[in-house]
Amino acid sequence: LMHHHRQSPYRLVPVPEALDIVLEHSPVGVSKEVDLENALGFVVSQTVVASEPMPPFPASVMDGYAVIASDCPGELPVLGLVSAGNISSLEVTPGKIAQITTGSAVPKGANAVVMVEETELVEKKEDGSEVVRIKKAAKEGQFIRPVGCDIKLGQVILEVGDQIGPAEIGLLAGAGVTRVNVYSPPTVGILSTGDELVEPHQTPAQGQIRDSNRSMLLAALRAENRGINGVDLGIATDQTDKLEDVIFGALAKVDVLITSGGVSMGELDLLKPIFEKFGTVHFGRVLMKPGKPLTFASLTYQGKEKLIFGLPGNPVSSMATFLLFCVPSLRKMCGVKNHRLPVVQAKLTHSLPMDPVRPEYHRAYLKWQDGGYVAESTGVQASSRLLSFRSANALLVIPQQEGKLEAGAIVDALILGNQ
């Protein structure tokens, strides 16, 4: 460490301030048009308005008979069958009814539908015609969906900032919208650094470990399900010139570069100096546990600003900082309105120690119980122990102070997962 700083030159930035800096530098993507079948996960960039009402005709919501309400109850001859998907020339006149199936257009003249369970067959004639008894009185409009009762002509179907899920795909398909304007998500590269790393399928030699961060972070990108293109950039060695080549090779094809490792205080933690040399380091340390060495930088490459997140190498620190900083940034870039992690209040099921030096983001399992959220720790919180993230669905914000939080204490809990 002879030629290295013995103390970091970077200020310890509180988490809220650091997140604000990140979001300030996270631009919303440009608008593009995609086919409906490829729109899942994207965020709407232009309001979608219904060009026709839904349903476009008065439709029966029951199998039964289309009637004139004032004719019921009574024994009435059946004019014929009206079925879904067919235009019927039948017209219901006083003293006559028409058999109808669910979803069919109500025939002219009818103003109510009586469900089949409230009728009985009185007579079936040789020519196939029927007389049916309607057993109950009918109300005008009963069991009929009027024109536009689901969606009115000109009604907003999707607003800017809405994420397109399966239900939204159905809405758009039903409205005849086959192309939709969405925000272009960023292309994100994931790069691991360190001479000690080998691929997951390789057997580590002495002093080596398998690279878990890259697989984890690429999976976390896919889990966001917003059309983000994740690029696997492999493992880079701890040599400055080679690292620079890898970084610039990556920046030619990605909008956001996420690295893990190489940002702490060791002789071979080479990334911060590279970021300083070619761009701007907005912060190089964050007041949090785990994840203190988190670095956020930007640099202009080929006329375009690129974002770089230098995550710590420890797997838990890497995942925690990805969730707390990269996810809100990427969500904003994808056009998500509420891009910050949702916060709820949760009650601790058992006591937790506090750290007087840094606030802790404690992995926990949250569940709803007796009218509120309760939080259970996932166990030992060491920054190398990825098991602490297994089944975790929240990060508890444990304040920076002496002592411990007792069971029953209320804390802020950041909800993880795609919202």
Side-chain angles (χ1 to χ4, degrees), residues 297-358:
S298 61
L299 63 85
T300 303
Y301 182 79
Q302 295 178 344
K304 189 175 176 191
E305 188 176 63
K306 309 283 186 168
L307 303 188
I308 304 174
F309 292 90
L311 310 186
N314 268 321
V316 171
S317 305
S318 191
M319 191 62 179
T321 49
F322 174 85
L323 293 167
L324 284 166
F325 296 94
C326 302
V327 164
S329 170
L330 296 174
R331 286 180 183 173
K332 185 184 173 194
M333 294 174 87
C334 290
V336 178
K337 280 183 285 197
N338 301 316
H339 38 261
R340 293 172 187 262
L341 298 184
V343 185
V344 298
Q345 302 276 291
K347 185 193 290 189
L348 298 180
T349 56
H350 42 72
S351 66
L352 287 178
M354 291 185 285
D355 184 329
V357 180
R358 287 178 287 164

Side-chain angles (χ1 to χ4, degrees), residues 57-67 78-86 88 90 92 97-108 110 112-116 142-145:
F57 51 79
S60 174
V61 297
M62 291 286 177
D63 291 330
Y65 295 89
V67 304
V78 180
L79 292 166
L81 172 67
V82 180
S83 58
N86 297 307
S88 174
L90 290 179
V92 174
I97 61 175
Q99 189 178 2
I100 194 166
T101 60
T102 302
S104 302
V106 176
K108 196 173 175 184
V113 170
V114 174
M115 61 174 141
V116 70
Q142 74 177 30
F143 300 129
I144 294 175
R145 288 163 62 217

Side-chain angles (χ1 to χ4, degrees), residues 153-363:
L153 174 65
Q155 184 177 338
V156 172
I157 301 173
L158 292 179
E159 294 183 343
V160 173
D162 286 345
Q163 187 174 4
I164 300 173
E168 288 76 14
I169 294 281
L171 262 175
L172 293 167
V177 178
T178 56
R179 290 182 68 74
V180 60
N181 288 290
V182 298
Y183 291 108
S184 291
T187 298
V188 180
I190 305 290
L191 173 69
S192 288
T193 68
D195 291 337
E196 76 279 16
L197 299 177
V198 297
E199 294 288 349
H201 65 270
Q202 294 177 317
T203 302
Q206 196 163 3
Q208 292 182 320
I209 55 170
R210 292 186 182 92
D211 176 17
S212 59
N213 287 357
R214 201 162 30 106
S215 302
M216 172 179 71
L217 295 171
L218 285 164
L221 279 181
R222 288 195 299 275
E224 268 296 293
N225 184 32
R226 298 181 200 277
I228 297 168
N229 179 26
V231 180
D232 183 347
L233 297 170
I235 300 167
T237 57
D238 290 326
Q239 294 173 53
T240 299
D241 53 347
K242 288 187 177 175
L243 258 180
E244 287 179 8
D245 289 345
V246 170
I247 287 168
F248 281 101
L251 293 178
K253 52 191 172 186
V254 304
D255 305 302
V256 178
L257 173 61
I258 299 175
T259 65
S260 71
V263 290
S264 197
M265 291 288 291
E267 186 71 24
L268 293 179
D269 287 326
L270 305 171
L271 287 174
K272 281 188 174 87
I274 294 173
F275 301 158
E276 288 278 15
K277 180 178 173 183
F278 296 104
T280 304
V281 173
H282 301 288
F283 57 79
R285 292 194 306 161
V286 181
L287 185 63
M288 63 180 292
K289 176 184 175 183
K292 183 170 82 167
L294 172 70
T295 300
F296 176 62
S298 61
L299 63 85
T300 303
Y301 182 79
Q302 295 178 344
K304 189 175 176 191
E305 188 176 63
K306 309 283 186 168
L307 303 188
I308 304 174
F309 292 90
L311 310 186
N314 268 321
V316 171
S317 305
S318 191
M319 191 62 179
T321 49
F322 174 85
L323 293 167
L324 284 166
F325 296 94
C326 302
V327 164
S329 170
L330 296 174
R331 286 180 183 173
K332 185 184 173 194
M333 294 174 87
C334 290
V336 178
K337 280 183 285 197
N338 301 316
H339 38 261
R340 293 172 187 262
L341 298 184
V343 185
V344 298
Q345 302 276 291
K347 185 193 290 189
L348 298 180
T349 56
H350 42 72
S351 66
L352 287 178
M354 291 185 285
D355 184 329
V357 180
R358 287 178 287 164
E360 182 181 2
Y361 289 80
H362 191 103
R363 280 74 71 205

